Amino acid sequence: MMTSHLFLFTIGPVQSFIAQARKTRDLYAGSRILSELVHEAIRAFEEVFSSGKVIFPFLPTGGVLSLPNRLVAKVTADESELRGKAEQIQRAVEQHWQALAEEALKKAGVSTKPAGFDEQIKALPDIHWVFIPLSESDYAQAYLRLERLGGAVKNIRPFAQMEETGRKCSIDGVNNALFCSWRSTPAYIKNPTRIRGFRLSAGEALSAVSLTKRFYPLEDGNFPSTAEVALMYDEAQLTAEEKQRLECFRKLFDREKVAEACIEMLTNGYKEKVKLINPREEEDWNDEFDYQMLFEENLNEKNIPNQTQRELLQDLLAPLKKRLQTRYYALVLFDGDRMGKWLSGENNQSRGDLEEFHRVLSKALDKFTRAAREHLNRENGNGQVIYAGGDDFLGFVNIHHLFGVMKHLRTEFDRVVNQSIAGYKKEGQHLTFSAGVVIAHYKTPLSEVLEKARKVEKAAKKEGDRNAFGIAVMKHSGETQEAVYKWDRDEKSPSGCSNWEALECVYRALNKGSGNFSHTFIQNLTTEMLGLTGRDLRNLPPGDEREAIGEGIRLEIQRLVDRSWKNPKKKAQEEITELSDKVSQLWEQVPRDSDHRPRHFVHALHIADFLTRKTTQS
């Protein structure tokens, strides 16, 4: 008997699969692989359910870069066929994953699979699917039951038993390591497969899953490293002659272009004498360029074992060192607020049109992710999107562009998404997002930066009560500072950025090139706050005493900002008033229920000061 059903098909694990990364290409490849598997699930669904209709996600024509990890669709079929058809879709996804793994082996130059390879690949991905009967007028209720049952199925968490002993993978920490670099063999690996070239670091040991990510084919053969993101602004400021020298530097990592680079060095006067060699005959010639090589400390024997290559690179880099100094970048993570309420129809005018709303929302979210990619990318020199699917976003941002990029994403999300669903939502309801922003040194382990980003995003949702941002700095010294604020003075505003702009105002005012204020007011305010609250910078005393202290702080801000003006011969009261107002705003706008109001305030000022120092070349 032919009946209608709602179908949910999910692929995981999402967070761990993407986040298990040592290099940015691992991170990006993880997100791309999951999107590719979802795309394969949709293709297989349309093949086995020819009359079925995909509701979520929206699948546009053209390339698919990011998709959420779930498929929701309507199907009409004989109940006895449902399981078999779902299993067909599952097999198609599993076979595609196996094909990706085997293609990665070829790219790594491995002709024979090592023992345990297939077992590790078959342990992933985690696939779950559910069907719920659907009547013509029952979409909303059926969707709620589908979500509940889908969650219950996931909680069962079946797993395959695998007995593995020995060295674990450097990336996932779970599977046995099967592969290592040709340059060294880490301890406790039995009969490892050695990978030629420099794609694997000397001490790395990878499982089958991690090797698949490391050798996943990228559009232009690479993905920006944290060092490249950090240096994007600096590189854009180079003169034409300096860019030519930099290009010559890069050619020394391309075995086919080394002779060309040597001739350029002689022709352009970079060196008086160059010994021509054939790098194809030099096994230790590093052919994996990374922007971290533009920092002198990385041109060492470990990274560049070939002495001739190392000396040529050092000579080329010498005049560029002072121009390429930014060592910090930002990782941005955000997702939609209260998405469960939006998808259940609780924030809608009528739940009767929930199916149509899902289609409209899915299309709007896809449009936003494409707009985000158009704005944030290597070509624009401001960063690179890692993942943008549905209401989830993960990306790298160059810190010189951080304030502008975040404002753009915030206002674009409102313009694209809220305007698209305007006819469905209740009056006064807006879809917003909460963000976690982490500024980190390019050498800080990527897993630690991702973990911190998730924590500050959760703080934005909890302490900021959503529609908020958390921002943190992970200094190379190990010190961490973080603060949480609503995006705007108007807590419900879907696009306002007045609190973010207040932080930006402090950043601009302290700029060594164009700012007119010293950071002494921040140091003095910090000292006074510590005196009032103690080392933990917890809240002020309750009641009338707190209000009196708060008023005193506002007056002190005005006094200290005025004193920090750097040019006594040319005092601009308008600038002084603006900065004191913005600093006072940051004091007043700390989330009301926060137990650490002074800490958020003080850390916000120090973060602005830190960003100023790291984006101003000496």
Side-chain angles (χ1 to χ4, degrees):
M1 178 180 173
M2 302 291 282
T3 55
S4 294
H5 287 76
L6 266 187
F7 176 50
L8 172 65
F9 187 94
T10 65
I11 300 175
V14 177
Q15 194 172 96
S16 62
F17 185 75
I18 294 177
Q20 287 169 349
R22 295 189 77 210
K23 297 186 177 184
T24 58
R25 67 173 299 127
D26 302 333
L27 191 66
Y28 181 62
S31 72
R32 285 299 308 276
I33 288 170
L34 282 177
S35 293
E36 191 170 331
L37 295 181
V38 173
H39 193 212
E40 176 62 20
I42 294 172
R43 185 206 62 77
F45 168 83
E46 291 175 340
E47 185 177 293
V48 300
F49 290 109
S50 57
S51 61
K53 294 181 179 178
V54 175
I55 297 169
F56 187 86
F58 175 73
L59 192 63
T61 56
V64 175
L65 292 175
S66 297
L67 288 173
N69 73 313
R70 51 197 281 120
L71 160 66
V72 177
K74 285 175 69 174
V75 300
T76 301
D78 192 309
E79 281 197 29
S80 63
E81 298 178 345
L82 294 177
R83 173 181 287 273
K85 288 180 179 291
E87 288 174 346
Q88 277 183 260
I89 299 171
Q90 180 170 342
R91 280 195 299 274
V93 172
E94 290 169 344
Q95 288 168 5
H96 193 76
W97 165 236
Q98 181 75 32
L100 289 176
E102 293 182 1
E103 183 62 26
L105 273 182
K106 291 180 186 176
K107 289 187 176 296
V110 179
S111 56
T112 304
K113 290 181 189 176
F117 183 89
D118 283 336
E119 289 78 4
Q120 290 183 357
I121 292 300
K122 287 176 182 176
L124 286 173
D126 294 337
I127 294 176
H128 305 278
W129 47 265
V130 176
F131 289 98
I132 291 289
L134 175 67
S135 65
E136 287 187 12
S137 59
D138 193 31
Y139 180 87
Q141 288 301 319
Y143 179 79
L144 291 175
R145 294 199 305 275
L146 188 76
E147 286 290 330
R148 284 196 292 267
L149 186 56
V153 169
K154 282 185 182 180
N155 288 335
I156 296 173
R157 295 189 180 276
F159 65 94
Q161 183 70 37
M162 292 173 61
E163 291 187 12
E164 293 191 320
T165 58
R167 169 70 183 266
K168 297 303 177 185
C169 173
S170 301
I171 295 178
D172 63 45
V174 175
N175 293 306
N176 263 10
L178 306 178
F179 306 91
C180 67
S181 169
W182 62 275
R183 289 176 285 167
S184 66
T185 302
Y188 309 112
I189 302 182
K190 294 181 179 179
N191 302 317
T193 299
R194 292 176 174 81
I195 306 298
R196 312 306 297 178
F198 285 75
R199 184 72 58 92
L200 270 66
S201 300
E204 278 190 309
L206 303 185
S207 66
V209 174
S210 296
L211 185 91
T212 302
K213 290 200 285 188
R214 183 63 60 84
F215 284 87
Y216 179 80
L218 304 179
E219 293 85 0
D220 60 356
N222 208 339
F223 185 81
S225 65
T226 53
E228 180 178 352
V229 176
L231 286 170
M232 281 179 174
Y233 178 86
D234 295 10
E235 184 181 0
Q237 307 310 305
L238 296 179
T239 65
E241 184 180 339
E242 289 169 333
K243 288 179 180 178
Q244 189 176 11
R245 179 182 280 267
L246 176 57
E247 184 56 30
C248 189
F249 184 96
R250 295 183 63 142
K251 286 177 181 177
L252 287 176
F253 289 87
D254 187 335
R255 291 174 187 261
E256 303 299 322
K257 295 181 179 179
V258 169
E260 180 185 333
C262 290
I263 292 170
E264 282 184 22
M265 291 177 76
L266 290 170
T267 305
N268 296 324
Y270 302 153
K271 273 184 80 70
E272 291 183 4
K273 258 190 229 179
V274 178
K275 178 185 174 184
L276 287 174
I277 61 169
N278 185 358
R280 279 172 288 191
E281 297 174 357
E282 305 282 333
E283 191 177 51
D284 61 352
W285 195 275
N286 188 333
D287 54 4
E288 286 284 329
F289 171 73
D290 188 292
Y291 270 74
Q292 68 172 329
M293 300 304 172
L294 293 174
F295 297 122
E296 188 178 26
E297 64 266 23
N298 296 318
L299 292 181
N300 52 44
E301 191 172 351
K302 178 183 175 183
N303 294 323
I304 314 292
N306 186 284
Q307 184 177 349
T308 300
Q309 184 184 22
R310 190 166 64 249
E311 289 175 354
L312 290 172
L313 291 170
Q314 288 168 342
D315 288 340
L316 280 172
L317 181 62
L320 299 176
K321 288 187 294 186
K322 290 187 177 180
R323 303 279 281 140
L324 300 169
Q325 292 189 353
T326 307
R327 284 169 164 76
Y328 284 81
Y329 69 97
L331 180 73
V332 174
L333 181 152
F334 66 73
D335 67 11
D337 295 321
R338 298 186 171 91
M339 285 302 296
K341 289 187 176 183
W342 284 100
L343 291 172
S344 69
E346 190 174 331
N347 289 339
N348 292 14
Q349 292 178 1
S350 168
R351 291 174 65 177
D353 58 5
L354 189 60
E355 179 182 348
E356 184 183 355
F357 170 72
H358 281 179
R359 295 182 190 277
V360 171
L361 177 61
S362 177
K363 189 174 182 178
L365 289 171
D366 175 76
K367 187 177 178 182
F368 167 72
T369 61
R370 290 177 179 273
R373 287 183 181 280
E374 288 176 7
H375 179 72
L376 183 65
N377 55 60
R378 180 189 260 153
E379 288 69 33
N380 289 340
N382 56 3
Q384 185 70 51
V385 173
I386 303 165
Y387 175 81
D391 63 307
D392 294 323
F393 178 93
L394 181 65
F396 292 119
V397 182
N398 177 272
I399 59 173
H400 293 263
H401 297 279
L402 178 61
F403 287 102
V405 166
M406 293 306 297
K407 281 195 290 186
H408 179 87
L409 293 175
R410 166 103 169 131
T411 54
E412 193 71 0
F413 187 86
D414 179 54
R415 185 189 70 80
V416 173
V417 179
N418 278 311
Q419 287 186 21
S420 297
I421 63 174
Y424 299 89
K425 60 186 182 178
K426 291 179 181 177
E427 187 176 352
Q429 294 288 352
H430 304 288
L431 182 52
T432 59
F433 66 76
S434 295
V437 180
V438 177
I439 295 101
H441 192 276
Y442 80 94
K443 280 191 173 181
T444 304
L446 201 49
S447 59
E448 294 180 16
V449 182
L450 282 162
E451 183 181 2
K452 174 58 75 173
R454 286 194 291 270
K455 285 182 178 178
V456 293
E457 185 211 26
K458 286 180 182 177
K461 287 184 178 289
K462 186 176 180 181
E463 285 194 63
D465 193 27
R466 300 177 178 84
N467 195 17
F469 66 88
I471 185 168
V473 163
M474 299 177 72
K475 298 181 182 179
H476 198 40
S477 63
E479 181 187 0
T480 300
Q481 295 170 322
E482 60 186 81
V484 171
Y485 283 90
K486 286 286 188 183
W487 286 105
D488 195 61
R489 284 177 177 270
D490 178 357
E491 296 185 356
K492 294 184 178 180
S493 169
S495 61
C497 296
S498 65
N499 290 332
W500 181 257
E501 288 167 349
L503 191 64
E504 182 183 17
C505 179
V506 178
Y507 163 75
R508 300 288 180 202
L510 297 173
N511 187 285
K512 290 180 182 178
S514 58
N516 290 308
F517 296 86
S518 74
H519 63 189
T520 54
F521 75 91
I522 295 175
Q523 297 171 332
N524 290 329
L525 280 170
T526 301
T527 301
E528 292 176 7
M529 284 292 178
L530 288 169
L532 284 169
T533 63
R535 290 185 63 185
D536 62 353
L537 287 170
R538 288 184 68 86
N539 232 334
L540 298 173
D544 295 340
E545 187 179 354
R546 174 189 288 192
E547 184 56 38
I549 291 174
E551 181 58 32
I553 288 171
R554 284 186 282 273
L555 293 172
E556 187 66 354
I557 287 171
Q558 294 174 11
R559 185 182 73 85
L560 292 175
V561 167
D562 184 89
R563 286 181 58 187
S564 69
W565 179 265
K566 291 193 295 189
N567 187 356
K569 295 180 179 179
K570 186 182 177 183
K571 206 162 191 178
Q573 191 57 48
E574 188 176 328
E575 283 187 54
I576 294 170
T577 300
E578 181 188 20
L579 180 58
S580 63
D581 286 348
K582 297 300 184 185
V583 175
S584 295
Q585 179 178 335
L586 290 174
W587 165 249
E588 294 160 0
Q589 290 293 305
V590 172
R592 284 198 228 64
D593 297 331
S594 173
D595 290 332
H596 300 93
R597 185 180 182 187
R599 182 186 297 177
H600 285 301
F601 171 63
V602 167
H603 282 196
L605 296 180
H606 280 279
I607 289 169
D609 182 34
F610 179 85
L611 280 169
T612 301
R613 286 184 282 113
K614 296 306 174 184
T615 55
T616 305
Q617 292 188 351
S618 56

